[in-house]
Amino acid sequence: MMVATGGRKPIRGTATPFFVALLLLGIISSAASSLPSWSLLEVTYTLLLALVAAHGVSSTLTGLSLRPERLIVLATATPIVLACFSAIIAIYASLLSNLPLRFPEPVGTYGNIRFFNQYQTWLLPFLATALALPNPLTRARRGFWIAFIATVGIFFWALYWRTGGRGTGYATLLATAAVVLLHGRAGIRHAMGMAALAAGGYVAYLIMFFHGGQGPTEHLLSTSPNGRLYLWRIAIEYIRLHPWLGIGPMQFAAIDTGLASHPHNAVLQWAVEWGLPAAALFVSGLGYLYFKWIRIARRLVTRDDSDIPPALVVAVTASLIAGGIHAMVSGVIDMPASQFMLVTVAGLAGGIALSAAPARAERDPGRLDFVTNVAVRALVLSASLYVGVFTAYDYWHRLHSPKPTSAVYLRNTYQPRYWLDGTLTGLTAHPLPPRVPRHSD
């Protein structure tokens, strides 16, 4: 898809130099790392994610001849419905077998329950929006759609209260407060919808899942860092030792932390792996995009003649803010489900921004545009081939290699790190920095 749409529009924009500089720094850092092939895998994978969000999803939305609200509602509601359906199957199986639900059931299909919470962080803001946007089911009455979404939303919130993820809870709360300040009445309506669904979800949680003992509020109010300070100290020490190029993309997973394969902080992760210059570019470029989106969103919400529903704009803003906050205390940028939602929401924001931009006179593409688009296509094709060939080779190699039973191998079973707690310590192990004692938990 990326190669096919690559020539539709020339790649321009203020953020493009940031992106190109990041790519070059990532390649240089990969070459200097202890596992260059794995570092380059991270760089190419990041490149593809960014291009899919910026050029794939956005271009697809802006290329639709019809207003895409119904498609957007279905695209955001479907992942929520699927997660709820999976949980209902687990509950039904538990009832049939006369076995009690154990934590983290009924969402035990995730290797780590916090991966599900990351998924929820991106999606929760869209629940209130689904109530306000047009009914995407053309043969169903609007009343049925509202009842259906309200039921699904309450159950989805009940699953959140069941898991009690602090990152999701605080990020959603802060993002909701932010859109109230940014978007006025539209933000207040969003907050009221979120509060109603959250309250309904809490009641449903008490009825379905709570049977005494520690409830979600105890965990939500806990101040325990759960090893984050330990991971942050490791990252800061390695930044001090390798400030310019870092230790290489994905190489935090090669540190024998005994706890996690990433530092649970997006900025620290970029700084320790890609280097401080790359982290500065990352923060600057992301800050610029956030600021630009908020300006566009505030203008769209206040305009009476806008074709884009204010509720959708508010939800996108809340989702982007919540995801950014959560990324400061978790592996939001590392896990596949969360990466998928990041690309989807960021691409949706880009598509809305492009749709709302003033129409410009078409001009014949110049030679620079032609060369740029050819380069982008070649880059996408090369990155896709590298990811595919590397994955196939690594799978074949592991399939025909002896199967050790050591703890290091078992933690390394799901290479690379975005599969469960996959690490690279079985290939090479960076020692803990001298100033950081090993985690005792």
Side-chain angles (χ1 to χ4, degrees), residues 1-2 5 8 49-62 347:
M1 181 183 72
M2 285 300 306
T5 62
R8 187 177 299 169
L49 287 175
L51 287 177
V52 168
H55 202 58
V57 179
S58 296
S59 296
T60 300
L61 286 175
T62 54

Side-chain angles (χ1 to χ4, degrees), residues 22 41-50 114-115 117-119 121-122 232 249-252 261-274 278-279 282-283 286 290 319-343 346 416-420:
L22 271 178
L41 176 68
E42 176 92 338
V43 173
T44 53
Y45 190 73
T46 303
L47 165 69
L48 293 174
L49 287 175
R114 299 307 165 213
F115 301 166
N117 289 144
Q118 294 165 10
Y119 189 64
T121 297
W122 297 103
W232 294 350
M250 203 190 283
Q251 295 307 299
F252 193 90
S261 57
H262 54 83
H264 284 65
N265 183 290
V267 176
L268 283 180
Q269 181 172 319
W270 276 82
V272 70
E273 294 186 343
W274 296 57
F282 170 72
V283 173
L286 202 61
Y290 263 105
S319 183
L320 289 173
I321 293 174
I325 294 173
H326 199 177
M328 296 300 102
V329 293
S330 187
V332 169
I333 64 172
D334 294 304
M335 298 304 135
S338 180
Q339 288 175 340
F340 169 77
M341 290 312 306
L342 185 157
V343 167
R417 67 172 164 209
Y418 40 76
W419 299 121
L420 294 181

Side-chain angles (χ1 to χ4, degrees), residues 2-249:
M2 285 300 306
V3 175
T5 62
R8 187 177 299 169
K9 293 182 181 180
I11 304 295
R12 302 191 193 96
T14 308
T16 302
F18 289 94
F19 182 74
V20 173
L22 271 178
L23 177 62
L24 293 176
L25 286 173
I27 294 173
I28 296 171
S29 178
S30 298
S33 71
S34 57
L35 293 172
S37 59
W38 285 93
S39 290
L40 191 57
L41 176 68
E42 176 92 338
V43 173
T44 53
Y45 190 73
T46 303
L47 165 69
L48 293 174
L49 287 175
L51 287 177
V52 168
H55 202 58
V57 179
S58 296
S59 296
T60 300
L61 286 175
T62 54
L64 293 174
S65 58
L66 300 176
R67 292 174 62 185
E69 291 93 338
R70 295 180 186 273
L71 176 62
I72 292 171
V73 172
L74 288 175
T76 53
T78 300
I80 299 174
V81 172
L82 290 176
C84 292
F85 182 71
S86 175
I88 290 172
I89 291 175
I91 294 172
Y92 184 65
S94 176
L95 293 174
L96 287 180
S97 58
N98 293 321
L99 294 175
L101 284 172
R102 300 183 304 274
F103 186 83
E105 294 170 336
V107 285
T109 52
Y110 288 80
N112 186 324
I113 196 62
R114 299 307 165 213
F115 301 166
F116 176 69
N117 289 144
Q118 294 165 10
Y119 189 64
Q120 285 188 304
T121 297
W122 297 103
L123 285 170
L124 285 172
F126 288 98
L127 284 169
T129 300
L131 296 172
L133 291 180
N135 174 16
L137 307 177
T138 55
R139 297 188 178 182
R141 294 182 181 273
R142 178 162 177 77
F144 170 81
W145 171 252
I146 292 176
F148 175 73
I149 286 297
T151 303
V152 169
I154 288 172
F155 186 69
F156 199 59
W157 267 102
L159 295 179
Y160 164 72
W161 292 115
R162 168 72 172 180
T163 58
R166 289 178 297 176
T168 296
Y170 291 132
T172 302
L173 179 63
L174 291 173
T176 304
V179 296
V180 169
L181 295 175
L182 290 170
H183 296 307
R185 291 183 180 180
I188 292 173
R189 288 193 294 270
H190 174 85
M192 292 174 62
M194 291 286 287
L197 291 173
Y202 189 74
V203 173
Y205 157 77
L206 293 176
I207 295 172
M208 292 188 295
F209 302 126
F210 185 66
H211 304 291
Q214 185 183 28
T217 53
E218 286 82 355
H219 181 69
L220 288 173
L221 297 176
S222 170
T223 57
S224 170
N226 287 347
R228 287 182 178 84
L229 295 181
Y230 166 71
L231 295 171
W232 294 350
R233 286 184 63 189
I234 293 174
I236 291 170
E237 281 300 304
Y238 265 106
I239 292 170
R240 186 181 64 83
L241 296 172
H242 305 274
W244 300 112
L245 293 177
I247 59 177

